[in-house]
Amino acid sequence: MDTTAPTVGSNPAIDTLPATFRWGVATSAYQIEGAVHEDGRGPSIWDTYCRTPGMVHEGDNGDVACDHYHRMPEDVALIGSLGVDTYRFSVAWPRVQPGGKGPANPAGLAFYDRLVDELLGKGVDPWVTLYHWDLPQELEDAGGWPERDTAYRFADYSMLVFDALSDRVRTWTTLNEPWCSAMLGYYEGRQAPGRRDFEAAIHAVHHLLLGHGLATQRMRAAATAPTEFGITLNMAHASPATDSDADREAARRADGLSRRLYLDPLLRGHYPADVVEDLAARSVKLPVNDGDLEIINQPIDVLGVNYYSSHRFSGVDEQGRTTDAEGHPVDRAVPFGRPVTAMDWEIVPEGFTDLLVQISEEYPGVPMVITENGAAFDDALAGGVVQDDDRIEYLASHIAAVAEARSRGADVRGYFAWSLMDNFEWSYGYAKRFGLVHVDYDTQVRTLKSSALWYRDTIRRVRGR
């Protein structure tokens, strides 16, 4: 009998990935850049939200973050050392266009111009995300994403960046996780701008998607070289807690509002009828004008998928009621009983496989790249080392889940780990660490964690066999 302990992070399924599989790491501007008052950058909704008492852990903010704005060449060298071929980063809208309208801020664009050149010099492809939640505060003051005009402002801003970088950047993502922007920002109030208005959130959904379509139309028309356009959605696999009608309905509603409300208009040109009916029951209507759905339904060259966990749902609360205090149907998340990350998110890798297969079956032919996947754990730097075996196991199980989805027909072409480095984790401030690279926020010293070395060696093995 073989009594040797298995190697941490070993999973034979990973070795079935093709040598052409794309590997990357990802970040976002507000979480790492800092320098919020430098070179003409204007305020964003996150600058404002962070200064609203009680909204962010210990009153943390992104004023300095990882100081990437000043340490960019050092960080790109780190990226290069990991052996990845792609770096997904976001452009800060208020850095490029401080008030959300008008001409570009040359100093702001110059930073991303230097970043792209630095990446290419290290043999790493730049993957641009145009919007990762940092709406210019002036646009929020004018109504924000619930207002139709914001979609047009986004398209104008997108063209400023595209005109500056499209000679070297081949992959463009319009939005990161519009569900978070709309529902957490405008309904649940747990992210910037911190509003609590369900109707405003649903209006924001439509205008975010409209902004995606408008920007994609204009960028594709202006492209002078082969270019990929897409959008990144955060999604989970929703399943009923039991076979009861109430639980199946709860899972349908949850899946509809978090996944199909975005995929159907993007890939089918219409909103899902059952979700429209659910919204009507709450006296809410999507603000669709003639021609909007044709604009939203642009060809998708790559669908970014962000995955962290999956959920089971019940249509009955713990007291046996099927409606809440406002008379809305109950959609209660029921734990699987799995181990959790430091975010208290259950670790459900098979849900990742189920989600990717579900997307490929419901929307045939859409190419996917995993644009975020990773986990926060309570990392400890000891003797210059972060031995984060729990993160290695998380990454290994989820990369293997991607390989399993590919074996079942899902067209998944790459995987980007979230995140390159520890950073400002939104409402959690600096309390949660997702990075492959440890950041000492007092000294800004970067240290490769064991997970970074495992990821590097995994990429080398898959490519080199």
Side-chain angles (χ1 to χ4, degrees), residues 145 151-152 154-155 158-159 174-175 205-221 229-231 265-266 291-300:
W145 284 109
Y152 295 94
F154 174 71
S158 298
M159 287 307 300
T174 52
L175 308 174
V205 168
H206 181 67
H207 296 141
L208 283 154
L209 295 177
L210 180 62
H212 155 80
L214 291 166
T216 302
Q217 276 187 330
R218 290 178 60 179
M219 290 189 294
R220 183 170 277 130
F229 299 98
I231 187 171
L266 287 165
D292 284 2
L293 288 166
E294 289 78 8
I295 293 170
I296 292 170
N297 183 216
Q298 297 300 303
I300 294 284

Side-chain angles (χ1 to χ4, degrees), residues 132-422:
H132 200 129
W133 307 353
D134 47 1
L135 185 71
Q137 183 60 45
E138 286 188 35
L139 292 184
E140 175 60 23
D141 293 342
W145 284 109
E147 294 297 322
R148 185 179 181 88
D149 185 64
T150 306
Y152 295 94
R153 301 288 72 75
F154 174 71
D156 289 345
Y157 148 72
S158 298
M159 287 307 300
L160 295 177
V161 184
F162 189 79
D163 288 344
L165 304 180
S166 62
D167 60 328
R168 288 155 291 158
V169 176
R170 292 289 167 259
T171 309
W172 294 78
T173 297
T174 52
L175 308 174
N176 178 76
E177 300 183 348
W179 179 89
C180 291
S181 295
M183 303 309 290
L184 297 184
Y186 289 97
Y187 174 47
E188 297 184 20
R190 293 193 286 124
Q191 291 191 2
R195 289 161 62 177
R196 296 177 181 273
D197 182 332
F198 183 71
E199 183 175 44
I202 296 302
H203 287 198
V205 168
H206 181 67
H207 296 141
L208 283 154
L209 295 177
L210 180 62
H212 155 80
L214 291 166
T216 302
Q217 276 187 330
R218 290 178 60 179
M219 290 189 294
R220 183 170 277 130
T224 59
T227 308
E228 292 183 322
F229 299 98
I231 187 171
T232 283
L233 306 179
N234 58 306
M235 293 180 281
H237 186 256
S239 57
T242 73
D243 286 333
S244 72
D245 289 344
D247 288 3
R248 285 199 299 269
E249 273 293 285
R252 177 196 63 76
R253 287 191 299 269
D255 179 65
L257 199 58
S258 65
R259 188 180 69 92
R260 291 181 290 114
L261 182 62
Y262 302 86
L263 285 173
D264 273 19
L266 287 165
L267 299 175
R268 293 175 173 167
H270 59 79
Y271 285 108
D274 64 311
V275 179
V276 172
E277 291 177 6
D278 292 341
L279 293 174
R282 299 181 66 166
S283 301
V284 173
K285 183 179 180 181
L286 287 151
V288 180
N289 287 1
D290 288 346
D292 284 2
L293 288 166
E294 289 78 8
I295 293 170
I296 292 170
N297 183 216
Q298 297 300 303
I300 294 284
D301 301 307
V302 58
L303 174 66
V305 176
N306 292 358
Y307 177 89
Y308 291 96
S309 185
S310 282
H311 311 287
R312 297 190 302 166
F313 290 92
S314 174
V316 182
D317 70 13
E318 291 171 339
Q319 286 72 46
R321 295 170 297 209
T322 57
T323 57
D324 63 19
E326 297 178 344
H328 303 139
V330 168
D331 296 332
R332 178 171 63 93
V334 178
F336 288 90
R338 302 293 185 81
V340 299
T341 69
M343 301 290 286
D344 205 30
W345 297 344
E346 288 192 285
I347 301 172
V348 191
E350 72 275 17
F352 199 4
T353 300
D354 292 340
L355 170 68
L356 295 171
V357 172
Q358 181 181 35
I359 293 169
S360 69
E361 291 176 349
E362 293 179 1
Y363 308 91
V366 61
M368 291 178 277
V369 167
I370 309 309
T371 38
E372 287 183 28
N373 178 241
F377 291 103
D378 295 326
D379 299 329
L381 179 64
V385 174
V386 179
Q387 189 64 42
D388 56 337
D389 290 350
D390 40 13
R391 181 172 290 104
I392 293 173
E393 293 290 4
Y394 180 98
L395 294 172
S397 65
H398 285 73
I399 296 170
V402 172
E404 172 64 19
R406 282 177 51 89
S407 75
R408 291 167 55 184
D411 185 7
V412 186
R413 301 181 181 185
Y415 175 95
F416 302 165
W418 182 270
S419 172
L420 166 65
M421 62 180 118
D422 297 334

Side-chain angles (χ1 to χ4, degrees), residues 30 41 43-51 55-56 61-62 132-135 137 190-193 424-427:
Y30 190 74
R41 180 190 178 277
S44 77
I45 56 175
W46 271 97
D47 296 292
T48 302
Y49 187 79
C50 288
R51 284 162 173 77
M55 291 301 186
V56 177
N61 59 59
H132 200 129
W133 307 353
D134 47 1
L135 185 71
Q137 183 60 45
R190 293 193 286 124
Q191 291 191 2
F424 176 79
E425 186 48 42
W426 307 113
S427 298

